[in-house]
Amino acid sequence: MHTVAVLVLDQVVAADMACPVDAFGRARLADGRNPYRVRVCAPEPQVASAAFTIVAPHGLEALRDADTIVVPGCSEAAPPPGPEVLDALRAAAAAGTRIASICTGAFILAEAGLLDGLRATTHWMAADLLAERFPRVDVQPDVLYVDNGRILTSAGASAGLDLCLHLIRRDFGSAVAADSARLAVMPLEREGGQAQFIVHARPPVPRGSLLEPVLKWIEDHLAQEVTLAELAARSGLSERTFSRRFREQTGTTPLQWLLRARVRRAQFLLENTDHGVERIASQAGFGSPTAFRERFKRVVGVTPQSYRSAFRGNGA
């Protein structure tokens, strides 16, 4: 049997912990056998979660015998992982054990140095912090999960289940994974590169920056054509200088910022109005419904209709 050790630490997120326990625990082969042995382990016999205390049957020694280790996320109130936890993870990685994280569990892997030089993801709200604290990690904020072979990371909430199904498919094939997906009432076909539903909020700009009034003007005029020359003129800079300052202060180009702002506006309209796709395309400043659909799917990962269905339970 393939042994999966779920490592729970103080202030573990209960849903992140339950996801791999349930997914691997309910997997079945064609003959009805469960191919996984799931062990919940912790550095101490009892671990606190937000609303209850978890009694872990196994200690860190269970990591030595595991084929796969899954590290769920912890809340913001969690203390940093102890050296014994980090050493156990490093030893497991050196021994070739497959190690995966769910949501903010990526911070624990990064603290152990297991993500250095690798692509990784986490919940979109924590992605900037992960990149800031661990500059050697190539943070991918928009994907559901990242598979580096022996080291894997996933985003928040249901992305953890996407990752578990991906691992089941890797281990025992699509038929077993599909059966697990049906039990979880979860689509199997979502790939890791699909974007997280949430497009990041407006990128922070230093208060008093010369870009602040320009960006506000963009937000107020998304439905109309906006040119680089017009934006540069509003800032009192040449186009070249404006583009350079814009990238320095936002980390992206004026065009990409504008397109993201239009997608954010479209998301709001899809969630809060019954307007059709053509009207939303116009209100958000896209030249045509076709251009809107293509850009929206590229950024968000799903079509506008699918996005509306997911958030409002009806079609567009």
Side-chain angles (χ1 to χ4, degrees):
M1 295 182 72
H2 186 114
T3 300
V4 177
V6 180
L7 174 61
V8 295
L9 304 179
D10 194 32
Q11 297 303 316
V12 64
V13 177
D16 291 356
M17 177 194 68
C19 176
V21 171
D22 192 51
F24 294 111
R26 296 176 67 183
R28 291 293 181 270
L29 299 177
D31 61 7
R33 290 182 298 115
N34 185 338
Y36 294 101
R37 177 189 298 111
V38 181
R39 292 173 173 167
V40 176
C41 57
E44 301 292 339
Q46 293 188 351
V47 175
S49 186
F52 51 82
T53 299
I54 298 161
V55 178
H58 304 278
L60 293 179
E61 71 281 353
L63 303 185
R64 292 195 294 267
D65 300 326
D67 299 294
T68 296
I69 298 170
V70 181
V71 183
C74 297
S75 72
E76 294 179 2
E84 72 281 6
V85 171
L86 301 180
D87 288 344
L89 287 172
R90 294 184 189 115
T97 305
R98 186 172 65 185
I99 303 176
S101 67
I102 295 177
C103 197
T104 55
F107 283 79
I108 300 167
L109 301 194
E111 192 72 41
L114 303 185
L115 299 182
D116 288 354
L118 297 179
R119 295 169 61 246
T121 194
T122 186
H123 193 287
W124 64 272
M125 291 183 67
D128 288 343
L129 180 60
L130 182 65
E132 178 184 340
R133 285 183 54 187
F134 302 99
R136 297 183 64 184
V137 180
D138 181 9
V139 179
Q140 306 285 308
D142 296 326
V143 300
L144 296 175
Y145 59 83
V146 175
D147 183 349
N148 292 294
R150 286 292 177 184
I151 304 294
L152 304 92
T153 54
S154 71
S158 63
L161 183 53
D162 285 299
L163 176 61
C164 291
L165 292 173
H166 171 69
L167 290 174
I168 293 170
R169 179 165 48 188
R170 267 183 52 175
D171 294 339
F172 298 103
S174 295
V176 176
D179 183 62
S180 297
R182 283 192 293 272
L183 285 173
V185 196
M186 179 77 178
L188 179 63
E189 64 271 13
R190 297 207 309 171
E191 297 294 336
Q194 178 174 315
Q196 298 185 41
F197 269 135
I198 305 300
V199 173
H200 295 295
R202 173 174 163 173
V205 176
R207 287 193 177 276
S209 161
L210 65 86
L211 290 184
E212 197 170 14
V214 176
L215 296 182
K216 185 180 185 307
W217 184 89
I218 294 174
E219 295 278 3
D220 293 337
H221 297 81
L222 289 175
Q224 69 185 57
E225 183 178 354
V226 179
T227 65
L228 177 61
E230 184 175 14
L231 296 178
R234 287 188 169 276
S235 69
L237 300 172
S238 68
E239 292 184 30
R240 183 175 179 180
T241 301
F242 175 75
S243 295
R244 186 179 73 250
R245 296 273 183 87
F246 198 99
R247 180 176 284 278
E248 288 172 353
Q249 295 187 27
T250 68
T252 189
T253 66
L255 175 60
Q256 290 301 317
W257 199 97
L258 173 63
L259 290 172
R260 281 276 173 145
R262 284 174 168 162
V263 169
R264 289 195 300 272
R265 174 66 56 81
Q267 284 182 299
F268 175 83
L269 294 171
L270 287 166
E271 293 173 19
N272 295 280
T273 74
D274 294 318
H275 300 169
V277 168
E278 290 190 6
R279 183 174 177 184
I280 290 176
S282 176
Q283 290 174 309
F286 291 94
S288 68
T290 299
F292 167 50
R293 290 188 181 95
E294 291 177 353
R295 174 58 58 174
F296 191 92
K297 185 171 184 181
R298 187 179 308 169
V299 174
V300 183
V302 296
T303 64
Q305 290 89 342
S306 296
Y307 183 86
R308 171 171 275 172
S309 296
F311 280 85
R312 301 195 56 200
N314 63 345

